[in-house]
Amino acid sequence: MSWKQLSRKALINSKFLKIYQDSVELPNGTIINDYTLVEKPSFVMVVATDQDNHLITIDEYKYAINQEIHSLPAGHLENNEDPLERAKKELFEETGYSGGEWENLGQFYDYPTKDLHKVYFFRAKHVTNEHTQQLEDTEKISSRVITIDQLKEEVKKNEWRTNAVLAAFIAAGLLH
């Protein structure tokens, strides 16, 4: 049972956000003329641990909430970029870590009812610190290394507040 798209009108079309107004027909014949969809760039997120099984995390300022929050290395995909290569690049640029053993944890959706972008989670084990960060002009990031026990304690204290990050920890098997 799928919906049939009758038409699509772009309401906003910018580099960081696209908003569409679709006209759709439901399986029962009902027509909705103003079904709104949001498309943000798809992105990668990396759950990385070093040789001692310590988690490589970042603290990053986020303009929309005007706060610095705990997060994981992540970045938007551009064009038809390979998600694994982008994940390796983001880990390297945001933390200085590279190498290790990589695993694709899967492709996920934040809000598939109204949002079209995808989130790709990767797990990197045994990464090593190779150099200092190489940040973009828009990034204010500090990296930190914590134990898995420290992560669990911080999660219990509600210090990690981003859905995708918490989902990445679950996908990586760190929060059980």
Side-chain angles (χ1 to χ4, degrees), residues 16-91:
F16 298 106
L17 178 70
K18 294 176 176 39
I19 299 179
Y20 304 105
Q21 182 177 0
D22 287 3
S23 177
V24 295
E25 182 178 351
L26 305 183
N28 67 6
T30 300
I31 294 178
I32 301 173
N33 287 314
D34 62 348
Y35 196 84
T36 308
L37 297 174
V38 174
E39 183 175 16
K40 299 173 281 191
S42 293
F43 67 94
V44 298
M45 185 169 282
V46 182
V47 178
T49 49
D50 64 14
Q51 300 288 346
D52 297 319
N53 201 35
H54 292 127
L55 184 65
I56 314 305
T57 70
I58 61 173
D59 287 337
E60 182 175 17
Y61 172 79
K62 295 295 186 179
Y63 170 75
I65 60 172
N66 194 31
Q67 290 181 33
E68 187 173 279
I69 61 172
H70 297 322
S71 194
L72 291 171
H76 291 124
L77 289 165
E78 298 176 14
N79 302 319
N80 291 321
E81 189 175 20
D82 177 61
L84 176 59
E85 291 308 311
R86 182 55 166 208
K88 290 178 178 181
K89 179 180 178 184
E90 291 297 331
L91 178 67

Side-chain angles (χ1 to χ4, degrees), residues 106-121:
Q107 170 187 307
F108 300 86
Y109 301 96
D110 274 338
Y111 181 49
T113 301
K114 293 282 189 174
D115 199 332
L116 300 171
H117 81 279
K118 299 174 186 115
V119 183
Y120 299 86
F121 294 149

